[in-house]
Amino acid sequence: MDLLSGSWPGEIYWFRGQPGRKFAAPERLRHKDGTLINCGGGRWSESAGDMAIFVGGAEFQKKGDKTVILYDGKTFEAPPGKSIGITGTASAVHATDWDADGDLDLLVGTISGEIWLVPNEGKADKPVFGQETQLTVTGTQSNVLDTLWKSFVAGTSKSGSQVLRVPHGDAGPFAADWDGDGLTDLLAGAGDGSVWFYRNIGQAGSPILQQGVMLVPAVNAGESASKGPVRGVRAKICVTDWNEDGRLDLLVGDFATVQSMQERTPDQKAKDDELRSELVTLQAQMNDLLKQRAQLHANRESEEKTKKLQELNEELKRLINRMQEIRSQLPEQYTYHGWVWLYLRKPAGASQNR
């Protein structure tokens, strides 16, 4: 058993399974032409405005008096006069035989909500990946969020296709025959915690996807940062018959912010309040020192200026160290958590509530 993983920069990683339930070091997957697979990445962003933003696992490098981008052994120079930066596509990958030719292809979701198909043009045991293409949907968006079975036919048509974009981005794709008609459908988690179903109305090996229907609603903003388990965002899904009743169910992983449930004694609370009060005072002192330093930088160079800057920097260092020490003693008010939610499928015609 192998593992595949997306990444924040966008590249896809393959962990080959080894005996004893161990895995080899990750390999970055490449196209048959040798270039890294990074759907929507590996290039300059087309919507960076006044900046030149490179998309991918790149790094900055000095080239003479210029700063350039180094990506997969190649150098990229920004247009003249533009500052440069690096971002990612937050890829999420799922392996499935999308074109029904007997080998595993890749479906890759990105932070922008697009889902790409990377076709395997090789064999099941020797994958060779071709160039990616964006998945598309046909018909008009349905506003009917009734039962799953009613919404299969609500508000759809065959009036052309458009690029599939999962609402609120952060697409996490999964392929499964959700409606039981023998064709592989597409499901996707979204950035707002919702889960979407894209029905395949094509044929085996040539999928045609209808517009998405919401299976799981978005997270209620009021639920965030609560105590205890609450639904989160950035939904990533798995489809399986969890309870072995012959119907496919949903497992939904997420990312949530949770209030700390650590109980504090009265003495501890009093100490916490004392430390937080000191922290406020130190922050005000640091803000004042930063203003003084900014004013000094605007002055002409002099020995007095250099000496004063050194003194300010030493005092800032002392304040920062003390603030870090205080924060280490205070309990966390919020923690980050990832939950997994189970949605059991009900029989056709029954309520589709969680």
Side-chain angles (χ1 to χ4, degrees):
M1 181 72 71
D2 302 332
L3 284 178
L4 289 174
S5 176
S7 65
W8 162 248
E11 293 81 27
I12 307 300
Y13 289 83
W14 179 14
F15 298 78
R16 296 177 187 257
Q18 294 184 331
R21 297 184 179 181
K22 296 181 179 180
F23 296 93
E27 307 169 38
R28 292 190 296 182
L29 293 182
R30 296 179 179 271
H31 299 106
K32 62 183 180 182
D33 65 2
T35 57
L36 285 172
I37 296 176
N38 187 345
C39 301
R43 56 177 174 77
W44 294 107
S45 170
E46 297 175 358
S47 57
D50 294 334
M51 286 190 69
I53 305 294
F54 194 88
V55 186
E59 58 186 42
F60 298 110
Q61 188 179 68
K62 292 296 292 184
K63 185 179 180 181
D65 59 348
K66 295 181 180 179
T67 299
V68 298
I69 295 292
L70 181 64
Y71 181 73
D72 196 28
K74 297 180 181 179
T75 300
F76 296 80
E77 294 190 14
K82 285 196 172 186
S83 57
I84 62 175
I86 298 173
T87 190
T89 64
S91 60
V93 61
H94 175 63
T96 183
D97 188 5
W98 188 250
D99 53 11
D101 65 352
D103 54 40
L104 292 177
D105 310 297
L106 303 179
L107 294 178
V108 181
T110 66
I111 197 169
S112 61
E114 299 165 347
I115 297 179
W116 300 72
L117 168 65
V118 186
N120 183 356
E121 299 175 359
K123 299 179 180 180
D125 59 345
K126 291 184 179 180
V128 177
F129 294 106
Q131 287 298 315
E132 61 266 20
T133 57
Q134 292 175 285
L135 295 188
T136 61
V137 289
T138 186
T140 56
Q141 180 68 53
S142 168
N143 291 319
V144 180
L145 298 179
D146 201 342
T147 67
L148 172 63
W149 308 109
K150 289 181 180 179
S151 58
F152 277 162
V153 295
T156 60
S157 71
K158 294 184 179 179
S159 56
S161 61
Q162 56 191 285
V163 171
L164 186 157
R165 283 189 174 85
V166 176
H168 301 279
D170 241 333
F174 198 98
D177 182 10
W178 184 252
D179 58 357
D181 65 355
L183 298 176
T184 300
D185 307 303
L186 175 69
L187 294 90
D192 62 355
S194 60
V195 177
W196 293 78
F197 164 65
Y198 299 86
R199 189 188 189 198
N200 181 2
I201 58 172
Q203 52 189 316
S206 300
I208 298 174
L209 300 176
Q210 285 185 325
Q211 287 278 357
V213 172
M214 187 186 293
L215 298 183
V216 177
V219 174
N220 185 337
E223 288 184 280
S224 62
S226 299
K227 287 189 176 181
V230 291
R231 289 183 55 220
V233 295
R234 306 180 193 174
K236 299 297 182 285
I237 64 174
C238 176
V239 177
T240 185
D241 184 3
W242 182 259
N243 57 356
E244 299 182 349
D245 64 353
R247 292 185 291 269
L248 292 178
D249 308 304
L250 271 178
L251 290 169
V252 182
D254 62 22
F255 172 84
T257 303
V258 181
Q259 289 185 20
S260 174
M261 293 181 283
Q262 182 179 355
E263 295 295 332
R264 307 289 282 174
T265 66
D267 287 345
Q268 288 175 325
K269 289 179 180 179
K271 181 62 176 177
D272 293 344
D273 290 341
E274 181 183 325
L275 289 173
R276 289 192 179 100
S277 178
E278 183 182 353
L279 200 58
V280 170
T281 301
L282 293 174
Q283 183 66 59
Q285 292 176 6
M286 188 172 77
N287 291 342
D288 182 59
L289 290 175
L290 289 172
K291 288 180 182 178
Q292 292 183 44
R293 190 172 68 172
Q295 291 171 353
L296 276 175
H297 276 299
N299 296 339
R300 296 177 59 181
E301 294 296 330
S302 66
E303 185 176 335
E304 181 182 357
K305 172 184 173 179
T306 301
K307 181 180 179 181
K308 184 62 176 176
L309 279 174
Q310 289 176 344
E311 293 174 353
L312 284 175
N313 286 333
E314 286 298 319
E315 181 62 13
L316 280 169
K317 184 178 179 180
R318 185 191 69 79
L319 289 176
I320 291 171
N321 288 339
R322 176 56 184 158
M323 291 169 73
Q324 290 176 340
E325 181 184 351
I326 291 174
R327 291 192 178 103
S328 69
Q329 297 176 47
L330 288 170
E332 291 185 336
Q333 291 182 287
Y334 300 96
T335 58
Y336 299 118
H337 207 295
W339 308 104
V340 178
W341 303 87
L342 170 63
Y343 293 82
L344 292 175
R345 186 78 163 272
K346 295 185 177 181
S351 170
Q352 292 298 316
N353 293 333
R354 183 170 30 149

Short mmCIF file of all heavy atoms in Angstrom, two decimals, residues 291-306 308-309 312:
data_model
loop_
_atom_site.label_atom_id
_atom_site.label_comp_id
_atom_site.label_asym_id
_atom_site.label_seq_id
_atom_site.Cartn_x
_atom_site.Cartn_y
_atom_site.Cartn_z
N LYS A 291 8.64 53.02 17.24
CA LYS A 291 8.45 54.36 16.68
C LYS A 291 9.75 55.15 16.75
O LYS A 291 10.12 55.85 15.79
CB LYS A 291 7.34 55.08 17.45
CG LYS A 291 5.94 54.55 17.18
CD LYS A 291 4.90 55.33 18.00
CE LYS A 291 3.51 54.77 17.78
NZ LYS A 291 2.49 55.49 18.59
N GLN A 292 10.44 55.05 17.90
CA GLN A 292 11.72 55.75 18.04
C GLN A 292 12.73 55.27 17.00
O GLN A 292 13.46 56.07 16.41
CB GLN A 292 12.28 55.53 19.44
CG GLN A 292 11.49 56.18 20.56
CD GLN A 292 12.16 55.97 21.91
OE1 GLN A 292 13.38 56.11 22.05
NE2 GLN A 292 11.36 55.62 22.92
N ARG A 293 12.74 53.96 16.79
CA ARG A 293 13.69 53.41 15.81
C ARG A 293 13.37 53.88 14.40
O ARG A 293 14.28 54.19 13.62
CB ARG A 293 13.69 51.88 15.89
CG ARG A 293 14.82 51.25 15.09
CD ARG A 293 14.94 49.77 15.33
NE ARG A 293 13.80 49.03 14.80
CZ ARG A 293 13.72 47.70 14.73
NH1 ARG A 293 14.71 46.97 15.23
NH2 ARG A 293 12.67 47.10 14.24
N ALA A 294 12.08 53.93 14.07
CA ALA A 294 11.68 54.40 12.74
C ALA A 294 12.09 55.85 12.52
O ALA A 294 12.54 56.23 11.43
CB ALA A 294 10.18 54.24 12.56
N GLN A 295 11.95 56.67 13.56
CA GLN A 295 12.35 58.07 13.46
C GLN A 295 13.85 58.21 13.28
O GLN A 295 14.33 59.04 12.51
CB GLN A 295 11.89 58.83 14.70
CG GLN A 295 10.37 58.99 14.80
CD GLN A 295 9.93 59.55 16.15
OE1 GLN A 295 10.74 59.70 17.07
NE2 GLN A 295 8.65 59.86 16.28
N LEU A 296 14.61 57.38 14.00
CA LEU A 296 16.07 57.41 13.86
C LEU A 296 16.52 57.03 12.45
O LEU A 296 17.44 57.63 11.90
CB LEU A 296 16.72 56.48 14.88
CG LEU A 296 16.95 57.04 16.28
CD1 LEU A 296 17.48 55.95 17.19
CD2 LEU A 296 17.94 58.20 16.24
N HIS A 297 15.83 56.03 11.86
CA HIS A 297 16.20 55.60 10.51
C HIS A 297 16.02 56.72 9.50
O HIS A 297 16.70 56.75 8.47
CB HIS A 297 15.36 54.39 10.10
CG HIS A 297 15.90 53.08 10.61
ND1 HIS A 297 17.15 52.61 10.26
CD2 HIS A 297 15.36 52.14 11.43
CE1 HIS A 297 17.37 51.44 10.85
NE2 HIS A 297 16.30 51.13 11.57
N ALA A 298 15.12 57.65 9.80
CA ALA A 298 14.87 58.76 8.87
C ALA A 298 15.95 59.85 8.99
O ALA A 298 16.05 60.72 8.12
CB ALA A 298 13.50 59.37 9.14
N ASN A 299 16.74 59.81 10.06
CA ASN A 299 17.79 60.82 10.26
C ASN A 299 19.04 60.49 9.44
O ASN A 299 19.22 59.37 8.97
CB ASN A 299 18.17 60.91 11.74
CG ASN A 299 17.00 61.38 12.60
OD1 ASN A 299 16.06 61.98 12.09
ND2 ASN A 299 17.07 61.09 13.90
N ARG A 300 19.88 61.49 9.31
CA ARG A 300 21.15 61.30 8.61
C ARG A 300 22.05 60.38 9.42
O ARG A 300 21.98 60.31 10.65
CB ARG A 300 21.83 62.65 8.39
CG ARG A 300 21.06 63.59 7.49
CD ARG A 300 21.76 64.92 7.37
NE ARG A 300 23.12 64.77 6.84
CZ ARG A 300 23.95 65.80 6.66
NH1 ARG A 300 23.58 67.02 7.01
NH2 ARG A 300 25.16 65.59 6.17
N GLU A 301 22.94 59.68 8.70
CA GLU A 301 23.86 58.76 9.37
C GLU A 301 24.83 59.55 10.25
O GLU A 301 25.34 60.61 9.87
CB GLU A 301 24.66 57.97 8.32
CG GLU A 301 23.82 57.02 7.49
CD GLU A 301 23.21 55.91 8.35
OE1 GLU A 301 23.81 55.52 9.37
OE2 GLU A 301 22.10 55.46 7.99
N SER A 302 25.05 59.03 11.46
CA SER A 302 26.01 59.65 12.38
C SER A 302 26.40 58.62 13.42
O SER A 302 25.72 57.59 13.61
CB SER A 302 25.40 60.88 13.07
OG SER A 302 24.35 60.49 13.92
N GLU A 303 27.48 58.91 14.13
CA GLU A 303 27.93 57.99 15.18
C GLU A 303 26.90 57.92 16.29
O GLU A 303 26.65 56.85 16.86
CB GLU A 303 29.28 58.48 15.72
CG GLU A 303 29.91 57.53 16.74
CD GLU A 303 31.28 57.99 17.18
OE1 GLU A 303 31.95 58.72 16.40
OE2 GLU A 303 31.69 57.62 18.30
N GLU A 304 26.29 59.06 16.60
CA GLU A 304 25.27 59.11 17.65
C GLU A 304 24.05 58.26 17.27
O GLU A 304 23.49 57.55 18.11
CB GLU A 304 24.85 60.56 17.90
CG GLU A 304 23.81 60.70 19.01
CD GLU A 304 23.38 62.15 19.20
OE1 GLU A 304 23.92 63.03 18.51
OE2 GLU A 304 22.48 62.38 20.03
N LYS A 305 23.66 58.35 15.98
CA LYS A 305 22.52 57.56 15.50
C LYS A 305 22.81 56.07 15.62
O LYS A 305 21.96 55.29 16.09
CB LYS A 305 22.21 57.91 14.05
CG LYS A 305 21.16 57.01 13.40
CD LYS A 305 20.96 57.34 11.94
CE LYS A 305 20.05 56.34 11.27
NZ LYS A 305 19.82 56.64 9.84
N THR A 306 24.00 55.66 15.21
CA THR A 306 24.38 54.24 15.28
C THR A 306 24.35 53.72 16.70
O THR A 306 23.83 52.63 16.97
CB THR A 306 25.78 54.04 14.68
OG1 THR A 306 25.80 54.49 13.33
CG2 THR A 306 26.18 52.57 14.72
N LYS A 308 22.62 54.98 19.25
CA LYS A 308 21.25 54.96 19.75
C LYS A 308 20.47 53.77 19.19
O LYS A 308 19.70 53.12 19.91
CB LYS A 308 20.55 56.26 19.36
CG LYS A 308 19.13 56.40 19.92
CD LYS A 308 19.12 56.41 21.43
CE LYS A 308 17.72 56.64 21.98
NZ LYS A 308 17.65 56.56 23.45
N LEU A 309 20.71 53.44 17.91
CA LEU A 309 20.04 52.28 17.30
C LEU A 309 20.45 50.99 17.99
O LEU A 309 19.62 50.10 18.22
CB LEU A 309 20.36 52.21 15.81
CG LEU A 309 19.55 53.12 14.88
CD1 LEU A 309 20.09 53.04 13.45
CD2 LEU A 309 18.07 52.74 14.91
N LEU A 312 18.56 50.81 21.24
CA LEU A 312 17.14 50.48 21.02
C LEU A 312 16.97 49.01 20.67
O LEU A 312 16.05 48.34 21.16
CB LEU A 312 16.57 51.35 19.90
CG LEU A 312 16.26 52.82 20.24
CD1 LEU A 312 15.81 53.57 19.00
CD2 LEU A 312 15.17 52.89 21.31
#
